[in-house]
Amino acid sequence: MTETTDPAEQARAALRARMSGHLDAALACLDEIGDPVERELAARILADDLLPDARTRVKAVRSEAVQDLRRGLKLREVSDLIGLSVARVDQIAKGKG
């Protein structure tokens, strides 16, 4: 992996590493379960219950963050700031993605 001096890329990499660490911790919990029946059940709960709930929450957090930005900025400004198209910013603000 190449290192970047771009502060935005460094910030993104730091956030990604932080979030990845949390996910790794959740997955490590599965590895700690010795009983295969219990481990399978825990994996199923993670995959079928917790991850879909997390996805829903992530979408809500994104929408709320974009709505916060929209309170002080125009759609184009938000688009430029977060690096997404105007149409995508509008979708996220409306909770569609």
Side-chain angles (χ1 to χ4, degrees), residues 43-59:
R44 190 175 354 145
I45 288 169
L46 179 62
D48 295 348
D49 299 340
L50 299 177
L51 289 178
D53 288 348
R55 183 171 176 78
T56 299
R57 173 89 168 100
V58 165
K59 288 173 85 172

Side-chain angles (χ1 to χ4, degrees), residues 10-75:
Q10 288 177 337
R12 182 181 171 102
L15 281 172
R16 183 179 181 82
R18 182 177 173 194
M19 298 308 299
S20 180
H22 289 291
L23 287 173
D24 288 346
L27 294 171
C29 288
L30 294 176
D31 295 335
E32 294 171 0
I33 300 171
D35 177 33
V37 173
E38 185 180 350
R39 190 170 59 245
E40 188 284 326
L41 177 58
R44 190 175 354 145
I45 288 169
L46 179 62
D48 295 348
D49 299 340
L50 299 177
L51 289 178
D53 288 348
R55 183 171 176 78
T56 299
R57 173 89 168 100
V58 165
K59 288 173 85 172
V61 168
R62 284 185 82 189
S63 179
E64 183 180 308
V66 169
Q67 289 170 15
D68 286 348
L69 290 169
R70 288 280 292 130
R71 285 183 183 82
L73 301 171
K74 295 179 180 177
L75 235 121

